[in-house]
Amino acid sequence: MTTITDVARAAGVSPATVSRVFNGGRVTPERAARVRRAAAELGFEPNRVAQSLRKQRGSVIGLLIPDIENPFFTSLARGVEDAAQQTGLSVVLCNTDEDIDKERRYLGIALAEQMAGVIVAAASRTQTDLSPLAARGMPAVAVDRRPRGALVDAVLVDNQYGGEAATEHLLRARYRRIACVTGPEGASTSEERLAGYRSALRDALADGTLTPEDGDDPLTAYVRYADFKVGGGRAAMADLLAMERPPDAVFVANNLMAVGALEVLREAGVTPPEFGVLSFGGVPWAGLVRPSLTTVELPSYELGFTAAKLLQERIAGSEKALQTVVLRTGLSVRDSTGGPHDDAEGQGRLRAPSPLG
Amino acid sequence: MTTITDVARAAGVSPATVSRVFNGGRVTPERAARVRRAAAELGFEPNRVAQSLRKQRGSVIGLLIPDIENPFFTSLARGVEDAAQQTGLSVVLCNTDEDIDKERRYLGIALAEQMAGVIVAAASRTQTDLSPLAARGMPAVAVDRRPRGALVDAVLVDNQYGGEAATEHLLRARYRRIACVTGPEGASTSEERLAGYRSALRDALADGTLTPEDGDDPLTAYVRYADFKVGGGRAAMADLLAMERPPDAVFVANNLMAVGALEVLREAGVTPPEFGVLSFGGVPWAGLVRPSLTTVELPSYELGFTAAKLLQERIAGSEKALQTVVLRTGLSVRDSTGGPHDDAEGQGRLRAPSPLG
DNA sequence: CCCGGATTTGAAATCGATTTCAAGTGGAAC
DNA sequence: GTTCCACTTGAAATCGATTTCAAATCCGGG
């Protein structure tokens, strides 16, 4: 391996000069040229480990995500990677598996490896602890989920707005018993999406679009908590279908649970859009799912990209006040929320039935 | 940050002794205890960068994969991660995007970061060049795809066998004009899967199961090369359907292209199992696809796990002869290959029609 | 021709761990 | 009591870069 000393010897200068050539120090052009030539000839590439040790800072940023198999996070990871590449940083992808211990371990590694900074989609809002990073001055940015009380920049999605828009859409499509399958209690994303759902229902109750059914609290009767995974979505959906007065639509607060819900519906012979289904976050290969699925679109790539940009500012030493960037969701209306079958009421449909029903 | 020197001072010993305590040197128990206590009190954690510099070897392994959004590779990555974790290595995931330049850049980083080793699913069989690693003594293992002429261990899938089994299955299900959509020419995986397909067809021709159609070479007429992506699968399938005598089944050589093919079939109103579809590699959320898809199952997790184990042996200094491990595929028969409709021939079906047709 | 200030340069310190080597310690054997 | 050996220990070198500091050089101005 050729070191800076080898290059120095070959160019007839000191190592210090070589270092200056590559780091923008003042060196006479003639000498600099000689150094560059020697470096090129020897195929010199600075040893990043030595650099990190000396500078007390590496050129790698850690990205901690809870589920590498969820396409939402892989897309986010791509955003981070693209942003990082622009400034010569590499990205280490760490899959925490929603496991608080694994997450802690990775944070420790980030410190021990002297990473330049970390981007964290926290495994737990209450237990994830970013304070050791802060204590050692390592920049961090929270993404998608904001851990409680952490003094870090954050890039989030407007979950409440998304939940609201989704639920309003279902109401407009004339569903009237709209269920909500949300994530774990305590996760910020679960709670916010649920809050949006409730807010939309409240509005509908207030303006008379929706009328309370006897005995049930319409804001809670159709709510189920699950685990953001396929299995949880299945269980919650099955539970909802078993109700005495089952819902006629469901707002599922994440893509994987939507997959589970769709499976259960299919097994039960209940098909959208008669039964409305709306997923928060796109399902992979959605093109194969029939009827096509109405979804709240998440800016996953931008989430990652923005977080990485923010992190880079901090790494560069920015002392700006902490900021939280909130990105908006969109709504992609497709066939799964075309509206329930007409009952005897004889009202016109808002939407033509899809060719395959 | 507490360093080894701080611990040494606190325990009243030299840094060398502290190092020995943590690296299994000979130290009197009494002293060792004092060191451990001091280390615990100060929250000492060895600086991995300094370790790497001194030992000339890091504790991170690089995993280069061509497409992080393909669930096959994420599953493989999990296998690598689990194996690595058992020995305290961390995994850096590098997404090369099938781009030979990105790949080269990442290999350079692996060297400059003094990684312990790399596992590579090569972006290109002909252009991927692992020789700089070998030159610097960095262990490497090829996974899934074997780059040409590289002197490295490899963990591969028995692609030819898988392609053969798949095609035989389609023949047994009484499809007779079986197409093959394979990957890019020159990729080992494409070629091997295609070879399996051809070998099965040849056997069928030999024993009379299949009779050559006038004018066409049955071994090539229905073969299409594509790019292992959804778009490529679409184009190839569309091309096949536009033939004068279109096929009655297709063996698609990777999961993403199968998604594309299914989309096109659906748009054309052609539905399995009348038209047989078999995918090499599972499709994510396959549960939602109807009819369910027959697939060649790939041991993606085991692929990663095995590669990581192999790499660890090399890192530990094993001088064994280079080995290539080939893992077998399985065949999961589902509804999409239930057999074509009976024509006027009045032959009995081998398989009951699926309830939904 | 000499001086002051700016610029360029290299020697040496530094980052934090590991490891070599020589010195120190203790115990057993004679 | 002396000798020898095995075992512990710490001082110092080392990994490869960056950076400080002081010396060297160059320049124009007087």
Side-chain angles (χ1 to χ4, degrees), chain B residues 2 39 74 116 134 147 151 186 245 247 250:
Chain B
T2 67
T74 58
L151 297 174
R245 290 196 87 215
V250 64

Side-chain angles (χ1 to χ4, degrees), chain A residues 37-355:
Chain A
R37 191 160 347 110
E41 265 167 30
L42 297 175
F44 168 72
E45 187 120 8
N47 181 325
R48 291 217 201 188
V49 177
Q51 286 182 320
S52 302
L53 176 60
R54 175 61 227 227
K55 298 211 251 198
Q56 299 284 60
R57 161 177 304 165
S59 48
V60 167
I61 68 182
L63 171 59
L64 277 64
I65 57 177
D67 183 3
I68 199 186
E69 302 203 13
N70 186 333
F72 168 75
F73 288 113
T74 57
S75 164
L76 188 155
R78 260 175 190 280
V80 171
E81 211 184 29
D82 288 352
Q85 207 138 53
Q86 293 178 3
T87 40
L89 291 167
S90 336
V91 178
V92 181
L93 229 171
C94 308
N95 181 31
T96 62
D97 243 339
E98 306 270 12
D99 175 341
I100 196 71
D101 285 322
K102 257 182 132 174
E103 183 177 77
R104 211 193 325 275
R105 205 152 51 229
Y106 274 124
L107 286 173
I109 291 176
L111 284 169
E113 293 275 2
Q114 311 212 142
M115 290 185 188
V118 294
I119 296 174
V120 186
S124 155
R125 190 172 61 104
T126 52
Q127 294 173 73
T128 293
D129 182 12
L130 300 180
S131 60
L133 302 180
R136 298 251 232 114
M138 179 173 294
V141 173
V143 72
D144 184 48
R145 311 164 174 193
R146 187 215 311 268
R148 192 172 53 178
L151 297 174
V152 294
D153 295 307
V155 184
L156 307 173
V157 161
D158 193 340
N159 288 303
Q160 167 140 13
Y161 171 84
E164 223 172 287
T167 312
E168 278 168 8
H169 167 72
L170 287 169
L171 286 164
R172 264 200 311 280
R174 302 195 302 107
Y175 298 103
R176 285 298 171 266
R177 295 188 306 282
I178 301 172
C180 175
V181 176
T182 190
E185 277 187 273
S188 62
T189 42
S190 314
E191 301 289 9
E192 291 167 18
R193 290 166 197 178
L194 176 60
Y197 161 85
R198 288 204 165 122
S199 148
L201 288 192
R202 250 193 304 269
D203 287 354
L205 286 166
D207 70 14
T209 309
L210 207 59
T211 50
E213 321 270 339
D214 322 326
D216 302 351
D217 175 356
L219 294 182
T220 53
Y222 290 124
V223 171
R224 294 292 180 279
Y225 289 90
D227 62 359
F228 276 150
K229 299 192 183 160
V230 175
R234 291 190 61 100
M237 192 69 239
D239 190 43
L240 285 168
L241 284 184
M243 290 176 76
E244 203 173 324
R245 289 197 86 215
D248 63 354
V250 63
F251 162 50
V252 190
N254 117 318
N255 55 354
L256 269 52
M257 295 194 303
V259 169
L262 283 169
E263 286 176 4
V264 168
L265 286 173
R266 174 167 281 154
E267 287 159 15
V270 180
T271 54
E274 182 175 4
F275 188 100
V277 178
L278 200 160
S279 160
F280 202 105
V283 168
W285 326 136
L288 289 185
V289 177
R290 282 300 126 92
S292 59
L293 194 59
T294 298
T295 55
V296 175
E297 297 292 337
L298 298 176
S300 49
Y301 181 90
E302 291 75 13
L303 223 47
F305 197 90
T306 313
K309 283 293 177 198
L310 227 53
L311 184 64
Q312 283 174 21
E313 278 185 39
R314 293 293 172 198
I315 291 174
S318 159
E319 296 286 352
K320 272 197 237 170
L322 290 179
Q323 44 180 319
T324 297
V325 178
V326 177
L327 302 179
R328 265 290 161 97
T329 60
L331 187 67
S332 282
V333 177
R334 300 204 187 84
D335 296 337
S336 70
T337 55
H341 274 328
D342 285 348
D343 297 335
E345 296 121 47
Q347 282 191 283
R349 294 179 71 107
L350 291 175
R351 208 187 147 85
S354 86

Side-chain angles (χ1 to χ4, degrees), chain B:
Chain B
M1 197 174 39
T2 67
T3 72
I4 204 173
T5 320
D6 300 329
V7 176
R9 205 182 355 255
V13 300
S14 78
T17 302
V18 178
S19 171
R20 282 191 270 258
V21 168
F22 290 110
N23 295 293
R26 318 192 60 90
V27 178
T28 54
E30 187 268 335
R31 230 170 245 258
R34 229 165 56 221
V35 169
R36 275 185 224 288
R37 192 161 343 112
E41 264 168 30
L42 296 175
F44 169 72
E45 185 119 11
N47 181 325
R48 291 216 199 187
V49 177
Q51 286 183 320
S52 303
L53 178 59
R54 174 63 227 225
K55 297 209 248 194
Q56 299 286 53
R57 160 176 304 167
S59 48
V60 168
I61 68 183
L63 172 58
L64 276 65
I65 58 176
D67 183 3
I68 199 186
E69 302 202 13
N70 186 336
F72 168 75
F73 288 113
T74 58
S75 165
L76 188 154
R78 260 177 191 279
V80 171
E81 211 184 27
D82 288 353
Q85 207 139 53
Q86 294 178 1
T87 38
L89 291 168
S90 334
V91 178
V92 180
L93 228 171
C94 307
N95 181 30
T96 61
D97 242 340
E98 306 271 12
D99 174 341
I100 195 74
D101 285 322
K102 261 182 128 173
E103 183 176 77
R104 211 195 323 274
R105 207 153 48 232
Y106 274 122
L107 287 172
I109 291 175
L111 284 169
E113 293 275 2
Q114 311 211 144
M115 291 183 185
V118 294
I119 296 175
V120 186
S124 155
R125 187 171 63 104
T126 52
Q127 294 172 72
T128 294
D129 181 13
L130 300 180
S131 59
L133 302 179
R136 298 249 234 112
M138 178 173 295
V141 173
V143 71
D144 185 47
R145 311 166 174 191
R146 185 217 311 268
R148 192 172 52 178
L151 297 174
V152 294
D153 294 309
V155 184
L156 306 173
V157 160
D158 193 341
N159 287 302
Q160 166 140 12
Y161 172 83
E164 221 172 286
T167 310
E168 278 168 9
H169 168 72
L170 287 170
L171 286 164
R172 263 199 313 278
R174 302 198 299 109
Y175 298 102
R176 285 298 171 267
R177 294 188 306 282
I178 302 171
C180 174
V181 176
T182 189
E185 278 188 90
S188 61
T189 42
S190 315
E191 302 290 9
E192 291 167 18
R193 289 166 197 178
L194 176 60
Y197 161 85
R198 288 207 165 120
S199 146
L201 288 192
R202 250 192 303 268
D203 288 354
L205 285 167
D207 70 13
T209 310
L210 206 58
T211 50
E213 320 270 339
D214 321 328
D216 303 352
D217 174 357
L219 293 182
T220 54
Y222 291 124
V223 171
R224 294 292 179 278
Y225 289 91
D227 62 359
F228 276 151
K229 300 193 182 157
V230 176
R234 290 190 61 99
M237 193 68 239
D239 190 42
L240 286 167
L241 285 185
M243 289 175 77
E244 203 173 324
R245 290 196 87 215
D248 63 353
V250 64
F251 161 50
V252 190
N254 114 319
N255 55 356
L256 268 52
M257 296 195 301
V259 170
L262 283 169
E263 286 175 6
V264 168
L265 287 173
R266 174 166 281 154
E267 286 159 16
V270 179
T271 54
E274 182 178 4
F275 188 101
V277 178
L278 199 160
S279 161
F280 202 105
V283 169
W285 325 136
L288 289 185
V289 178
R290 280 302 124 91
S292 59
L293 194 60
T294 298
T295 55
V296 175
E297 299 290 339
L298 298 176
S300 48
Y301 181 92
E302 292 75 13
L303 223 46
F305 197 91
T306 312
K309 283 292 179 203
L310 228 53
L311 184 65
Q312 283 174 21
E313 277 185 38
R314 293 294 172 196
I315 291 174
S318 157
E319 296 285 351
K320 271 196 237 171
L322 290 179
Q323 45 181 316
T324 295
V325 178
V326 176
L327 302 179
R328 263 292 160 96
T329 59
L331 187 67
S332 281
V333 177
R334 302 206 187 82
D335 296 337
S336 69
T337 54
H341 275 327
D342 284 349
D343 298 333
E345 296 119 49
Q347 283 192 282
R349 294 179 70 104
L350 292 175
R351 207 187 147 86
S354 87
L356 301 174

